Amino acid sequence: MPKLNENYLHVKDSYLFAEIARRVKAYEESYPEKASRIIRLGIGDVTRPLTPRAVKALQEAAASQAVAETFKGYGPEQGYGFVREAIAAYYGRNGVQVDAGDIFISDGAKSDTGNITELFARDNVILVPDPVYPVYVDTNTMDGKEVVYMDGREENHFLPMPDESVKADIIYLCSPNNPTGACYSREQLKIWVDYALRNQAVILFDAAYEAFVTEPGLPRSIYEVEGARKCAVEFGSLSKTAGFTGTRFSYTVVPGELTFCASSGEEMSLRAMWNRRQSTKFNGTPYIVQCAAAAVFTEEGMEECQENLSYYRENARLITEALARKGIPFTGGVNSPYIWFQCPGGMQSWEFFDYLLENAQVVGTPGAGFGKNGRNYFRLTAFGTHEKTAEAMRRFEELLG
Ligand code: MLT
């Protein structure tokens, strides 16, 4: 009989968004006459199609696969040089220097933020904000690792800062934040970088929503902060930026400077370890997707993406204005596609989820799914269509009277 990884006993039966989908399906089965009215503003899944440049590159790359001379088999596990260079150039245009050789192409920030736990031993002090993207906690739990929470509350604008009495080894930060939409300033990130350098800790910085930053002066990469190359890994994604939730493309930056001592005293490089991990367990992102991604990372490609993001920003405006009219405090919606607010009437978040689904057929994400500090909060995404977002907020306001 196999001995199972019993750490799985310590994670919830289903992943947050799978649980939401299950509950919505159960509702549809119980009330089939209401099914067509349901508006989904729960999981952050995009509704705008791929941009023209991405589609053209995909089509050309697909056509090249019909020709023996241009056909591609296995690609480099780290990703093709042309797309790694395109990402380095994108960073460069934002004033940040990243070496193409430090960039590893993958199929999703979810996979990479989950898989990176393999590089770290069990007995680390792992700091995770609460509320938080559930992948960070679930993947550490599956690995038998314990996390230490740092509270994100209204008082700190959901942006926890270092507690000098805690000596962390690994720190997860996500900015602009999923789920709260809050965004660290450069000064705040500098405090985190200094803390990490003092403690020889690694920051795992999830920048999946960087393209949503609109307020001038807010950082879009942790590498905007001096010293970050010595302590931070950064995750980026085209899921939300370019509508690749179905197409799949992400990247992880592991600077060569990230070296630490093994217990034997031998120096170990995180970049070399990640390279070893990826080349052993991953055969790369499809060639045609990498071609589409390279087109996205050009100046013109990103301009097209920003048009789509403006579309979502308009939805965020519709949501935040409705909340403001109801006097409901919220964060996010400006530098982020997520809007995070207190559940009305003192309701708990799953209670409010059911109330909204049953009475307005609107689906959101209960804050409890992101941690204990989310128990009385709720998240809506700006990724719907204008029509459905406006209708959802009309029903929301009507329901709250
Ligand atoms: C979310 O809704 O939080 C995201 O879509 C989840 C993800 O990116 O995996």
Side-chain angles (χ1 to χ4, degrees):
M1 189 170 100
K3 292 185 183 60
L4 302 183
N5 178 355
E6 295 187 11
N7 297 314
Y8 276 67
L9 292 171
H10 307 303
V11 286
K12 293 194 188 86
D13 279 349
S14 58
Y15 179 59
L16 172 61
F17 295 105
E19 173 62 16
I20 290 174
R22 189 192 66 73
R23 290 193 188 209
V24 174
K25 188 159 176 280
Y27 177 79
E28 283 174 328
E29 280 164 9
S30 305
Y31 303 96
E33 71 286 3
K34 301 264 177 72
S36 64
R37 263 177 66 82
I38 293 175
I39 299 177
R40 290 175 167 78
L41 302 180
I43 190 166
D45 198 4
V46 291
T47 51
R48 303 298 301 151
L50 299 183
T51 60
R53 275 186 172 73
V55 171
K56 183 165 175 282
L58 261 181
Q59 286 168 336
E60 285 172 4
S64 77
Q65 296 312 286
V67 178
E69 287 71 32
T70 47
F71 168 76
K72 302 274 186 209
Y74 288 124
E77 294 93 351
Q78 304 77 7
Y80 283 96
F82 66 83
V83 71
R84 300 169 89 191
E85 293 290 348
I87 296 170
Y90 173 63
Y91 270 107
R93 288 199 302 278
N94 293 331
V96 177
Q97 208 236 312
V98 166
D99 297 335
D102 292 346
I103 299 171
F104 294 81
I105 306 308
S106 187
D107 63 357
K110 179 181 183 178
S111 330
D112 281 10
T113 52
N115 291 332
I116 200 120
T117 57
E118 286 179 29
L119 306 193
F120 304 105
R122 293 245 153 85
D123 53 349
N124 279 297
V125 176
I126 303 169
L127 272 188
V128 173
D130 173 353
V132 73
Y133 180 42
V135 170
Y136 314 153
V137 175
D138 285 0
T139 55
N140 275 293
T141 308
M142 288 169 177
D143 255 9
K145 293 173 181 142
E146 276 178 38
V147 303
V148 176
Y149 291 101
M150 32 183 186
D151 288 324
R153 297 213 174 97
E154 274 173 35
E155 301 85 77
N156 59 11
H157 308 285
F158 297 102
L159 294 169
M161 294 304 294
D163 172 351
E164 293 297 336
S165 67
V166 178
K167 197 183 164 319
D169 301 300
I170 296 162
I171 303 149
Y172 284 83
L173 297 178
C174 174
S175 179
N177 187 265
N178 181 11
T180 68
C183 188
Y184 280 110
S185 68
R186 197 169 286 120
E187 294 68 32
Q188 287 173 314
L189 284 188
K190 174 82 179 115
I191 294 171
W192 271 116
V193 165
D194 289 344
Y195 169 87
L197 291 172
R198 262 197 316 281
N199 289 289
Q200 287 198 298
V202 177
I203 297 176
L204 301 177
F205 190 77
D206 188 346
Y209 298 93
E210 56 83 22
F212 288 84
V213 171
T214 43
E215 281 180 301
L218 288 178
R220 291 171 51 177
S221 162
I222 194 154
Y223 303 122
E224 291 183 35
V225 174
E226 204 193 320
R229 290 183 59 84
K230 295 199 190 92
C231 64
V233 170
E234 180 161 291
F235 304 92
S237 168
L238 288 190
S239 283
K240 317 298 157 75
T241 304
F244 273 45
T245 49
T247 308
R248 311 305 309 152
F249 182 92
S250 71
Y251 58 91
T252 293
V253 183
V254 192
E257 287 91 329
L258 291 174
T259 57
F260 298 92
C261 269
S263 49
S264 64
E266 188 184 335
E267 194 169 79
M268 291 181 82
S269 149
L270 275 190
R271 186 179 65 184
M273 288 171 75
W274 185 245
N275 186 44
R276 187 71 175 83
R277 192 258 169 223
Q278 290 298 83
S279 43
T280 307
K281 299 196 179 183
F282 185 57
N283 260 336
T285 305
Y287 168 71
I288 61 172
V289 172
Q290 295 193 55
C291 292
V296 165
F297 283 108
T298 60
E299 219 163 329
E300 301 76 20
M302 273 295 161
E303 271 164 27
E304 289 181 343
C305 291
Q306 283 296 337
E307 280 170 34
N308 279 348
L309 302 197
S310 298
Y311 179 95
Y312 298 134
R313 287 186 187 107
E314 174 59 16
N315 290 341
R317 191 184 62 78
L318 293 172
I319 296 171
T320 53
E321 284 183 2
L323 292 171
R325 278 194 294 274
K326 289 286 155 203
I328 299 173
F330 61 87
T331 54
V334 179
N335 302 296
S336 156
Y338 297 126
I339 297 95
W340 176 254
F341 58 94
Q342 272 178 32
C343 298
M347 274 188 240
Q348 299 265 311
S349 65
W350 278 110
E351 190 187 351
F352 185 60
F353 173 89
D354 289 335
Y355 180 71
L356 201 57
L357 178 60
E358 282 161 22
N359 298 291
Q361 289 76 48
V362 172
V363 180
T365 307
F370 300 102
K372 73 172 177 9
N373 288 330
R375 270 183 310 226
N376 293 97
Y377 289 84
F378 207 71
R379 193 193 79 174
L380 290 177
T381 100
F383 286 121
T385 62
H386 286 337
E387 298 69 28
K388 287 194 171 164
T389 307
E391 173 60 13
M393 296 321 287
R394 190 195 63 73
R395 291 186 206 163
F396 180 99
E397 287 193 76
E398 191 178 83
L399 180 64
L400 298 187

